[in-house]
Amino acid sequence: MKRVVLLLAVMVIIGMSSAKVAEVLQPYEYGKDPFKPAPYEVAEKNVTFNFEQDVQGSGYFMTYRYAKAGALAFKDYVHGSGSIDNEFVMFTQELNKNTHPIEANWVDENVSCISVKEDNVMVYSPYQFAIGAGYYAVNPLVFDSLLKEKTWIKNYRAGTSMHHEVEYAHGIDKELEVLAKEKYFKEYDPFLEGVGYTQMKINEHVDNGKVHFGVLQAAGDYASVPGFPAYPDYKSSWFSELRAYKNPAIEIDEDYFGTYDITKNMTLNVPYKLTQKSEDWLPCCSGGWADVPRGKYGFGSDATGIFDCSCLSKARAGMYGPTNVNPPFKAWA
């Protein structure tokens, strides 16, 4: 009976050990942990979207456009009644490429872009819309909505936000260009580069309305962080410290009421670059524990005996037993 119990215990231990080894040897799933990428040669995803529009007409109109690519986000909203002549072009791209060869440095690259160009002319006027042949044919619907237009671009890698809005306007004649780019490039030894670029150009005439411009630049940024998405976890204390409205490096808030001709060219560029040579984990050929960079100890406060080779005598003693025993004890022959 004791032999059976002992055998079962040994089998349980072996099973636990095998499961642990299998867990260690199992490759990490892509996307689970950006700091522990899976071992493969090349993985690439390239998503592009192109949108072109040309609209002329009169009546009631409402448009909503939203795009997200990597750490970038763009939104545009328009509504009003009257006439509209609109040309709109938008292009987005999100490229993620990881090159992990067996016998060369690994390279991770994330590149995203949002580009928008718009030429928009709107003139306010009430509009009546008859429906069917019944009551609403005799009593048409009346749309009487002043003009509103709102555009914002956010670059989370750079910590940048730009906002433009027109409300309660009787006429809008606007040319708009928006360009946002973000890049993260890492060669595991020894190069890292991150860039967040945001630009908004506006040339417009507003007739009898309200115009708002806003720019926020956070004191910190995520230029050196891999795989940083738009709309991150706002509950994270780490992200909270970099919120632009909490600790802005740049803050612009402008409002104009009336009739104006306005030209704006706003550009924010946040580059980050790091080049360094990583030390070997243990420089055995040139030194010992005392030569390892302090940030790479990680084995407790007292590991001198392991890394300065003085533990060799202890290892021999463990293998052959104390040397003062006659004859010396041997762990195995």
Side-chain angles (χ1 to χ4, degrees):
M1 184 64 181
K2 291 182 179 180
R3 293 182 178 178
V4 174
V5 173
L6 180 59
L7 179 60
L8 290 175
V10 171
M11 292 176 66
V12 170
I13 294 173
I14 293 175
M16 294 174 61
S17 301
S18 301
K20 192 65 177 178
V21 171
E23 179 182 347
V24 172
L25 295 180
Q26 183 178 4
Y28 291 95
E29 295 183 30
Y30 178 72
K32 290 289 186 180
D33 189 344
F35 298 100
K36 298 178 180 178
Y40 46 74
E41 287 291 337
V42 178
E44 180 176 347
K45 182 179 75 171
N46 188 11
V47 180
T48 61
F49 174 72
N50 189 63
F51 177 81
E52 298 182 11
Q53 174 178 283
D54 191 350
V55 177
Q56 298 91 27
S58 60
Y60 176 80
F61 42 84
M62 190 281 294
T63 65
Y64 175 84
R65 308 179 186 101
Y66 172 81
K68 182 175 74 171
L72 310 174
F74 168 83
K75 183 168 73 172
D76 179 78
Y77 174 80
V78 175
H79 81 249
S81 62
S83 64
I84 182 172
D85 185 353
N86 179 266
E87 295 180 7
F88 185 89
V89 177
M90 179 171 64
F91 174 79
T92 71
Q93 180 178 19
E94 181 177 356
L95 169 66
N96 300 310
K97 183 176 181 179
N98 297 335
T99 305
H100 295 171
I102 302 299
E103 298 180 353
N105 289 339
W106 286 9
V107 175
D108 293 343
E109 183 175 9
N110 302 321
V111 179
S112 301
C113 173
I114 296 179
S115 174
V116 174
K117 290 186 178 182
E118 182 181 24
D119 190 347
N120 192 22
V121 179
M122 298 184 292
V123 178
Y124 157 76
S125 64
Y127 181 78
Q128 293 184 348
F129 185 62
I131 301 176
Y135 175 83
Y136 289 106
V138 181
N139 301 278
L141 298 176
V142 178
F143 294 92
D144 188 2
S145 174
L146 292 173
L147 306 175
K148 175 183 175 70
E149 186 168 28
K150 175 176 181 150
T151 303
W152 60 246
I153 182 72
K154 296 182 180 180
N155 190 327
Y156 286 87
R157 182 170 296 282
T160 303
S161 174
M162 296 182 180
H163 178 214
H164 170 251
E165 185 174 22
V166 178
E167 295 182 287
Y168 314 116
H170 289 73
I172 300 175
D173 186 352
K174 182 187 73 173
E175 295 179 356
L176 169 73
E177 291 186 23
V178 172
L179 177 61
K181 300 181 290 185
E182 62 102 2
K183 172 184 177 182
Y184 176 84
F185 179 89
K186 178 179 180 181
E187 183 180 356
Y188 279 61
D189 189 8
F191 182 76
L192 187 152
E193 181 181 16
V195 179
Y197 178 89
T198 313
Q199 182 181 61
M200 179 181 286
K201 294 181 179 180
I202 298 174
N203 184 12
E204 68 180 353
H205 172 80
V206 177
D207 185 16
N208 195 16
K210 174 191 173 185
V211 184
H212 171 76
F213 292 96
V215 178
L216 274 177
Q217 174 62 42
D221 58 77
Y222 296 93
S224 62
V225 179
F228 190 77
Y231 297 111
D233 182 9
Y234 287 91
K235 297 180 181 179
S236 169
S237 59
W238 178 54
F239 176 78
S240 177
E241 295 301 321
L242 297 182
R243 289 180 180 177
Y245 66 81
K246 182 177 180 180
N247 185 25
I250 298 174
E251 182 176 8
I252 297 175
D253 193 354
E254 300 179 358
D255 291 293
Y256 302 92
F257 296 83
T259 300
Y260 292 92
D261 291 302
I262 299 175
T263 301
K264 294 278 186 181
N265 186 352
M266 302 176 289
T267 304
L268 271 168
N269 189 28
V270 182
Y272 177 88
K273 186 175 181 180
L274 174 66
T275 303
Q276 64 179 8
K277 179 65 177 177
S278 298
E279 299 290 341
D280 294 333
W281 178 73
L282 183 61
C284 296
C285 298
S286 59
W289 170 253
D291 297 322
V292 177
R294 185 171 298 276
K296 295 190 176 182
Y297 286 174
F299 290 91
S301 59
D302 186 13
T304 304
I306 299 176
F307 294 102
D308 65 359
C309 301
S310 63
C311 63
L312 183 58
S313 59
K314 298 181 181 179
R316 288 174 175 171
M319 182 181 297
Y320 298 108
T323 57
N324 58 356
V325 177
N326 191 16
F329 170 77
K330 292 186 178 180
W332 60 81

